[in-house]
Amino acid sequence: MPRWRMLGVWMGLLLGLGGLAMAKQSDSACVQCHTDVTPGVVHQFHEGRMGTNAYLPLDCSTCHGSAHTTAEDFAKATFPTPDTCMGCHADKVEQFRAGKHELAWYAMKTQSALHAQPSAIVGEGYRGCSGCHKIGRKGYIGAEAGNTGPLKWDGGEEASQYRYGNAQCDACHTRHSFKKTEAQDPRACSNCHMGFDHPQWEMYMSSKHGITWDIDGNRGWDQGGRAPTCQTCHMPGGNHNVETAWGFLALRLPTKENVEKLAASVDDAGLKANLQKLAKLLPSGHYIDLDDDVQWTLDRALILQVNEILDQNFQPTERFFEIVAQARAARGPEEFNRLRLQMKATCQQCHSKEYVDDFFLNADKIVKLADHEFAKAIQAVQGLYRDGILKKPEGWKWAPSVAQYYENLTPIELDLYLIYMEYRQRTFQGAFHISNDYMHWYGWAPLKEHVNRILAEAERMRAEQKK
Ligand code: HEC
Ligand code: HEC
Ligand code: HEC
Ligand code: HEC
Ligand code: HEC
Ligand code: HEC
Ligand code: HEC
Ligand code: HEC
């Protein structure tokens, strides 16, 4: 924390919370009673620096208020949000709020499939989507509520419906010790960044980086070891703003120039006009490392269609705005290039520029190859809809849609969802995290397998229709 800020905190405390410093000398009433009621919490608190700092004494009441004072009135205790930390850690809160973690709750709520799930799975129980996505702030108001500008915040309305789970910061600094060293350990990310659609933990631990971290006694570059950790690459300098170039879904926007090139290459006059119209709405520029060619631009446009982001005529849907602009799930060239260069600078602390450039060029090629395979499968399924062999399920606005996840009803569309959420993800995420096994055997191999299954199944369905 910068010195001037510590000074501000000091002054605030001296003026506002004058009595607290004295209370700390002997334990506060909260600590005294809670030593019996929840001894574990008191122990954790006294293990961390906020519980031991001699100059700036914090107490339970700093985060839970002082309204609750007896064994019966504990319902009066309040729970913190990042606003509670703001007074003393404004720099971290501001960085965090500018990054993608802040948007996690909102991003979750944009998903079509979410609405079909029971609230014990996606709501206050915090055992499914909500358990991981509570790292984001509740209460962002977006397109679904008719807001067509930048995201607005409801002032705490949605959060107030949840007693627990609004703290956000405790995702990496576990309560009640809030240790910095714990947050610096890649294991702190692993409860969320693992498994089905984003196995970054498993990929890291099967890469030379993770293995070296492990061999060095779980010490990364920031602790005097040789290997980078998740934090080295994604939170350089302790910056709490996390964001990557390709993002979770590898869905960067097609550029104006590339869509114009695609429009020029097609013969169909209707399609040409639609693409020209789309091009006008897109950001201008070029992607570094591997820019899109005509084929890749078309492949990605199809991927955006099955994500409900572009409609049948390649025009943006209202979800384009919600998911791309508001939830920031896909980036244009300016941001992509900035984030890419920032990442490369991190790699270059330990590798040569040539080695790193070569690495990213190759990884981008893998995204492109995976997109092309996926696009073949998309076209096969879209063809079945076009020819009336598949019918749009009742209540769905778009079909086929991978955003409906496992709510899809036919085997062929379930396979399409698996390609998207599991195999394509593992292919490109494994390439970026240098896990050869994930990239190939858990990614590319089943991706190809499922594309072939879809093509065969589409043939079969057509033959059946003719009978
Ligand atoms: C006289 C004893 C006593 C004192 C003093 C006390 N508490 Fe508690 N507190 C309790 C009991 C009992 C519970 C309920 C614990 C349980 O159900 O396991 C509780 C619960 C809590 C909870 C959890 C509430 C929930 O809904 O989950 C918080 C937070 C809390 N106390 C904070 C504080 C703070 C802050 C202070 C000082 C301002 C304080 N306590 C003072 C006895 C006390
Ligand atoms: C720096 C902020 C901070 C301080 C200081 C703090 N807490 Fe907490 N406390 C939290 C957070 C964050 C949670 C989790 C809330 C949630 O799930 O939303 C929590 C949850 C709790 C809970 C209920 C959840 C559980 O795990 O049972 C109790 C009880 C509690 N605190 C007691 C205390 C006591 C007693 C102290 C003082 C020894 C204390 N807290 C100091 C931030 C703090
Ligand atoms: C009243 C001021 C104050 C508030 C409010 C506050 N902190 Fe702190 N925090 C401190 C002080 C003081 C330290 C210890 C600095 C030191 O000893 O180096 C600290 C240290 C930390 C550390 C680093 C611990 C370490 O191991 O080095 C973390 C993480 C942290 N706070 C998180 C939080 C979170 C999260 C919240 C809100 C839920 C919060 N703090 C609220 C004053 C505060
Ligand atoms: C995604 C994981 C993660 C989350 C979520 C997170 N932090 Fe941190 N935090 C870290 C890491 C990693 C460090 C160590 C940074 C470094 O190496 O300097 C850290 C360090 C800190 C420190 C110590 C700074 C210092 O220089 O000693 C404070 C204070 C802190 N965080 C506050 C917060 C607050 C407040 C929030 C919520 C707005 C928060 N953190 C949320 C990962 C996280
Ligand atoms: C050596 C640096 C490095 C390490 C270590 C690392 N990553 Fe990454 N990470 C990357 C790169 C490079 C990308 C892709 C960046 C781009 O899009 O250009 C990436 C992308 C991501 C993404 C976006 C989706 C994806 O997988 O492509 C997430 C989330 C992520 N990493 C989390 C993690 C977590 C969690 C860990 C630790 C378990 C971790 N990373 C370890 C470099 C690293
Ligand atoms: C409590 C669960 C949780 C923990 C712990 C967590 N994350 Fe995340 N992380 C998420 C979620 C959910 C998202 C998606 C947010 C969004 O994009 O809306 C995310 C997004 C990210 C992204 C942005 C990817 C993109 O779209 O560009 C990066 C990078 C990242 N996390 C890195 C980390 C690192 C590094 C750690 C550990 C220091 C960590 N996370 C800890 C849940 C978590
Ligand atoms: C195990 C924890 C976990 C669960 C459970 C989980 N997510 Fe996520 N989610 C994450 C992480 C971590 C990320 C970021 C991964 C990355 O960038 O590679 C993420 C990313 C996302 C994103 C992408 C945000 C973006 O900007 O790209 C959406 C949307 C999303 N999740 C929705 C959901 C929905 C809906 C559910 C439940 C049906 C769910 N998640 C279940 C951890 C989880
Ligand atoms: C803190 C130092 C450090 C940083 C930062 C770092 N690496 Fe590494 N890297 C290593 C070490 C150590 C090894 C293991 C020794 C080896 O194989 O050369 C390694 C190995 C590799 C390998 C070889 C893996 C193999 O199986 O042969 C690649 C590729 C690689 N790193 C790419 C990257 C990329 C890309 C980045 C940035 C996104 C990056 N590294 C960041 C230290 C680092």
Side-chain angles (χ1 to χ4, degrees), residues 15 36 43 62 228 239 246 301 325 331 343 365 372 435 438 450:
L15 294 171
D36 293 330
H43 172 76
T62 311
N239 191 335
W246 276 110
R331 286 163 259 302
M343 182 64 84
K365 278 184 190 156
H372 190 56
S435 173
Y438 266 86
H450 282 74

Side-chain angles (χ1 to χ4, degrees), residues 244-317:
T244 62
W246 276 110
F248 174 43
L249 302 163
L251 281 186
R252 70 187 183 193
L253 288 176
T255 60
K256 181 195 271 319
E257 287 78 1
N258 289 334
V259 173
E260 275 166 358
K261 252 187 254 159
L262 174 61
S265 77
V266 299
D267 296 329
D268 181 324
L271 177 60
K272 194 189 277 290
N274 282 334
L275 289 169
Q276 281 163 344
K277 206 166 139 203
L278 173 66
K280 290 205 180 70
L281 302 169
L282 293 169
S284 170
H286 294 283
Y287 288 107
I288 55 171
D289 296 323
L290 193 63
D291 198 8
D292 306 6
D293 56 24
V294 164
Q295 182 65 51
W296 198 8
T297 306
L298 177 62
D299 290 342
R300 188 122 28 73
L302 294 170
I303 296 173
L304 292 172
Q305 272 184 339
V306 286
N307 269 287
E308 310 181 350
I309 289 171
L310 294 178
D311 69 13
Q312 306 87 296
N313 300 321
F314 294 105
Q315 300 311 300
T317 64

Side-chain angles (χ1 to χ4, degrees), residues 33-65:
C33 187
H34 274 271
T35 301
D36 293 330
V37 180
T38 54
V41 170
V42 174
H43 172 76
Q44 292 151 15
F45 179 62
H46 283 150
E47 235 211 336
R49 296 184 71 165
M50 281 196 279
T52 49
N53 191 289
Y55 303 102
L56 186 76
L58 270 89
D59 184 49
C60 316
S61 55
T62 311
C63 294
H64 297 294

Side-chain angles (χ1 to χ4, degrees), residues 86-369:
M86 189 75 175
C88 303
H89 305 298
D91 50 345
K92 300 294 176 217
V93 179
E94 280 157 13
Q95 290 166 358
F96 181 91
R97 290 240 153 110
K100 295 266 342 245
H101 278 144
E102 170 77 355
L103 296 174
W105 189 263
Y106 179 72
M108 172 189 85
K109 293 191 68 169
T110 64
Q111 297 303 290
S112 298
L114 186 86
H115 303 291
Q117 312 313 318
S119 95
I121 290 174
V122 299
E124 60 244 331
Y126 297 125
R127 283 299 165 273
C129 318
S130 51
C132 298
H133 282 262
K134 75 179 163 70
I135 194 172
R137 190 192 213 178
K138 296 190 182 75
Y140 277 117
I141 303 172
E144 209 179 55
N147 168 24
T148 54
L151 281 180
K152 283 190 224 149
W153 186 56
D154 70 1
E157 167 61 29
E158 187 185 5
S160 72
Q161 295 159 25
Y162 296 77
R163 177 138 176 88
Y164 304 111
N166 299 318
Q168 299 180 260
C169 308
D170 61 346
C172 305
H173 307 281
T174 309
R175 67 181 189 269
H176 272 93
S177 48
F178 296 97
K179 282 184 190 155
K180 175 172 157 177
T181 48
E182 177 180 1
Q184 285 171 318
D185 192 304
R187 287 172 288 192
C189 322
S190 70
N191 63 320
C192 301
H193 287 274
M194 52 84 66
F196 180 71
D197 53 342
H198 34 64
Q200 282 101 10
W201 169 249
E202 294 91 325
M203 296 184 301
Y204 174 69
M205 285 310 290
S206 54
S207 77
K208 269 292 181 191
H209 289 147
I211 290 163
T212 310
W213 167 79
D214 209 20
I215 289 172
D216 284 355
N218 300 342
R219 281 181 313 136
W221 169 246
D222 307 303
Q223 295 80 40
R226 292 172 292 162
T229 58
C230 319
Q231 292 83 346
T232 314
C233 296
H234 293 295
M235 299 182 68
N239 191 335
H240 279 50
N241 175 341
V242 299
E243 187 155 19
T244 62
W246 276 110
F248 174 43
L249 302 163
L251 281 186
R252 70 187 183 193
L253 288 176
T255 60
K256 181 195 271 319
E257 287 78 1
N258 289 334
V259 173
E260 275 166 358
K261 252 187 254 159
L262 174 61
S265 77
V266 299
D267 296 329
D268 181 324
L271 177 60
K272 194 189 277 290
N274 282 334
L275 289 169
Q276 281 163 344
K277 206 166 139 203
L278 173 66
K280 290 205 180 70
L281 302 169
L282 293 169
S284 170
H286 294 283
Y287 288 107
I288 55 171
D289 296 323
L290 193 63
D291 198 8
D292 306 6
D293 56 24
V294 164
Q295 182 65 51
W296 198 8
T297 306
L298 177 62
D299 290 342
R300 188 122 28 73
L302 294 170
I303 296 173
L304 292 172
Q305 272 184 339
V306 286
N307 269 287
E308 310 181 350
I309 289 171
L310 294 178
D311 69 13
Q312 306 87 296
N313 300 321
F314 294 105
Q315 300 311 300
T317 64
E318 69 276 9
R319 294 178 59 67
F320 179 100
F321 190 71
E322 189 177 23
I323 294 172
V324 175
Q326 292 182 328
R328 303 213 315 258
R331 286 163 259 302
E334 206 180 306
E335 240 196 322
F336 183 98
N337 294 347
R338 177 180 61 76
L339 291 164
R340 175 55 67 80
L341 289 171
Q342 184 185 309
M343 182 64 84
K344 285 183 163 184
T346 301
C347 313
Q348 284 172 39
Q349 294 175 89
C350 302
H351 298 288
S352 73
K353 181 174 183 304
E354 287 64 34
Y355 189 79
V356 172
D357 284 348
D358 198 50
F359 172 87
F360 278 100
L361 185 62
N362 196 57
D364 283 357
K365 278 184 190 156
I366 289 173
V367 181
K368 176 172 164 175
L369 289 165

